């Protein structure tokens, strides 16, 4: 009987803990469910307009929206961030994503 009560109590604690994590960082959870690509290095001489044109072309060829995630500090200390997305290609951002063109 004690094992069963212990199992139930610890399960409730785990569920509450994970709900608290999701409630504190909903943008992170939303962001993590979509596939992503990391760019590890970029040549020093990159033309921003050419990069934008290439990303738009890639998005149109693959019929997939491509989003660039931009983190902006939401507080003076920089402890929290507010995320916005720049969309390339055709399509729309998923619900919950704040975007700009």
């Amino acid at each position: 009987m004690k094992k069963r009560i212990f199992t139930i109590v610890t399960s409730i604690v785990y569920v509450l803990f994970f709900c608290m994590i999701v409630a504190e960082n909903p943008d992170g959870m939303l962001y993590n469910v979509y596939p992503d690509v990391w760019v590890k290095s970029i040549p020093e001489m990159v033309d921003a307009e050419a990069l934008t044109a290439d990303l738009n072309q890639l998005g149109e060829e693959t019929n997939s929206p491509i989003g660039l995630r931009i983190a902006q500090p939401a507080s003076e200390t920089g402890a929290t961030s507010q995320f916005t997305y720049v969309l390339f290609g055709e399509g729309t951002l998923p619900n919950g994503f704040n975007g700009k063109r």
Side-chain angles (χ1 to χ4, degrees), residues 23-73:
E24 285 183 11
N25 192 7
D27 291 335
M29 293 300 293
L30 184 63
Y31 173 75
N32 288 328
V33 298
Y34 288 97
D36 59 348
V37 175
W38 285 86
V39 178
K40 291 191 174 190
S41 65
I42 300 176
E44 289 183 24
M45 303 300 281
V46 174
D47 182 24
E49 293 176 4
L51 182 62
T52 300
D54 289 344
L55 287 173
N56 277 323
Q57 181 181 355
L58 178 64
E60 291 170 3
E61 287 175 359
T62 60
N63 197 23
S64 301
I66 299 173
L68 173 65
R69 184 180 191 196
I70 301 171
Q72 300 168 329

Side-chain angles (χ1 to χ4, degrees), residues 1-14:
M1 184 68 177
K2 288 183 180 183
K3 286 183 181 181
R4 180 172 288 195
I5 292 173
F6 177 76
T7 304
I8 291 171
V9 170
T10 55
S11 297
I12 291 171
V13 169
Y14 282 137

